[in-house]
């Protein structure tokens, strides 16, 4: 059995997308890792499967898997790509789809960009989650390597946002995994390093849980804006300047986080039967 896929990305954060709404598909961790492999597979940061849902007005359930096979409940860049795909298929200017974190709504924005309402941030220590009761505005237990205590934010997935003077100088490959796997984060965490440039602009680089350094992180950009506002560093709407480009994030007064940015469809293809049953191959 082979599977058609689409290769998409949001600012270089790339995805293999499979529409399994008519033929269910629940790949094993090994299959996901094999498909995500940049030499022997298609290569991607996240593997996205659209699953059938009977909920009225909801077009699909979006299953998110990191390159390491782990499942995540939010992926902002993939949400924009899936929102665009669903709108292209329906001919409508909006799409609603569900993730493990809740219901998302995508709409068209100007210049071919897509806006996704990523919902309300979760700010309580237990919602991040953190290992013990902690002030999420300054998580002291995570201090390491000269980096001041981060802000913890959950956007459906856990994030730790470190504010730094120079984002370019952060040794991501060295400190990323230390913080991702820090015992303060029982479900691990996505790690953002943010340099505030102005009240409406932040330079941010990211080490993603389950994927490592990526060109962009949509949920991480949302978490970064929320963290900056909580610290009084920016306005409630700002541009997040990532390695792969810029996202515009707004934390509205009625507690919704709106993310706007581009989407791209790079190519389509077909997974070989060997790749789809990678578990057999890797045994
Ligand atoms: N690595 C994330 C999932 C992908 C998030 C990112 N690609 C985005 O655009 O939000 C996690 O394990 O929570």
């Amino acid at each position: 059995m082979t599977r058609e896929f689409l290769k998409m990305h949001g600012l270089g954060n790339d995805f293999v997308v499979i529409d399994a709404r008519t033929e269910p598909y629940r790949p094993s961790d090994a299959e996901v890792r094999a498909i995500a492999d940049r030499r022997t597979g298609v290569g991607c940061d996240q593997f996205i499967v659209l699953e059938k849902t009977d909920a009225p007005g909801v077009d699909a359930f979006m299953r998110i898997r990191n390159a390491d096979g782990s499942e995540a409940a939010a992926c902002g860049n993939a949400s924009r790509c899936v929102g665009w795909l669903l709108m292209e298929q329906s001919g409508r200017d909006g799409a609603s789809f569900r993730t493990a974190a809740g219901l998302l709504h995508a709409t068209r924005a100007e210049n071919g960009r897509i806006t996704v309402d990523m919902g309300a941030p979760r700010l309580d220590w237990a919602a991040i989650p953190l290992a013990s009761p902690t002030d999420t505005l300054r998580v002291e237990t995570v201090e390491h390597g000269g980096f001041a205590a981060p802000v913890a934010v959950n956007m459906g997935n856990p994030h730790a946002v470190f504010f730094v003077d120079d984002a370019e100088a952060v040794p991501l490959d060295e400190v990323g995994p230390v913080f991702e796997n820090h015992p303060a984060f029982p479900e691990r965490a996505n790690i953002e390093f943010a340099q505030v440039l102005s009240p409406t602009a932040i330079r941010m680089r990211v080490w993603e849980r389950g994927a490592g350094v990526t060109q962009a992180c949509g949920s991480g950009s949302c978490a970064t804006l929320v963290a900056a506002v909580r610290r009084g560093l920016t306005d409630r709407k700002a541009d997040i300047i990532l390695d792969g480009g810029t996202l515009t994030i707004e934390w509205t007064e009625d507690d919704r986080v709106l993310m706007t940015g581009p989407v791209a469809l790079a190519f389509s293809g077909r997974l070989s039967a060997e790749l789809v049953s990678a578990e057999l191959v890797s045994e």
Side-chain angles (χ1 to χ4, degrees):
M1 162 87 188
T2 63
R3 288 269 179 183
E4 287 190 355
F5 69 86
L6 296 177
K7 183 72 191 307
M8 304 187 77
H9 71 88
L11 298 179
N13 177 207
D14 64 337
F15 315 108
V16 169
V17 181
I18 287 191
D19 190 341
R21 287 178 288 179
T22 54
E23 295 266 350
Y25 179 38
R26 297 297 296 264
S28 66
D29 290 1
E31 283 180 80
V32 172
R33 287 193 292 271
I35 291 162
D37 189 296
R38 294 192 183 282
R39 286 190 172 76
T40 57
V42 181
C44 59
D45 294 327
Q46 278 83 35
F47 182 74
I48 305 295
V49 179
L50 298 186
E51 298 177 359
K52 187 174 177 304
T53 170
D54 298 326
V58 179
D59 300 309
F61 180 93
M62 178 170 97
R63 184 83 54 189
I64 304 157
R65 306 285 289 276
N66 286 308
D68 70 355
S70 61
E71 184 162 349
C75 181
N77 285 319
S79 298
R80 288 199 319 281
C81 291
V82 166
W84 175 85
L85 191 60
L86 293 171
M87 285 187 267
E88 290 297 300
Q89 290 172 346
S90 68
R92 296 197 303 266
D93 284 337
S96 296
F97 49 102
R98 189 173 290 286
T99 69
L103 192 60
L104 299 178
H105 303 285
T107 51
R108 294 187 190 281
E110 77 291 343
N111 303 328
R113 301 194 305 166
I114 299 293
T115 295
V116 176
D117 177 346
M118 295 292 287
R122 292 90 163 172
L123 304 176
D124 176 67
W125 71 271
I128 302 301
L130 295 174
S132 57
T134 310
D135 174 8
T136 56
L137 189 58
R138 207 171 297 282
V139 185
E140 307 289 357
T141 53
V142 181
E143 295 208 335
H144 165 83
F147 290 93
V151 183
V153 180
N154 183 289
M155 284 305 308
N157 55 353
H159 295 270
V161 182
F162 291 83
F163 287 99
V164 296
D165 294 333
D166 180 0
E168 313 304 334
V170 176
L172 277 182
D173 289 316
E174 177 193 325
V175 298
V178 173
F179 288 128
E180 173 193 359
N181 298 290
H182 193 286
F185 304 118
E187 294 178 8
R188 301 188 288 167
N190 299 283
I191 310 299
E192 288 83 20
F193 297 94
Q195 176 186 350
V196 177
L197 304 176
S198 78
T200 57
I202 303 173
R203 170 76 172 107
M204 187 270 274
R205 295 173 65 218
V206 60
W207 173 274
E208 283 198 32
R209 177 179 64 170
V213 177
T214 62
Q215 292 295 297
C217 181
S219 57
S221 297
C222 295
T224 297
L225 186 276
V226 169
V229 172
R230 290 192 69 203
R231 286 271 181 93
L233 301 174
T234 64
D235 296 351
R236 297 185 72 92
K237 182 173 183 178
D239 285 345
I240 311 297
I241 302 157
L242 299 133
D243 289 351
T246 299
L247 293 176
T248 302
I249 311 292
E250 179 178 7
W251 183 13
T252 64
E253 295 294 348
D254 62 344
D255 201 25
R256 318 292 300 171
V257 182
L258 308 180
M259 167 197 59
T260 300
V263 301
L265 170 58
F267 58 88
S268 61
R270 178 173 288 276
L271 298 177
S272 67
E274 293 71 23
L275 207 50
V276 171
S277 56
E279 209 149 26
L280 303 179
V281 171
S282 59
E283 277 169 353

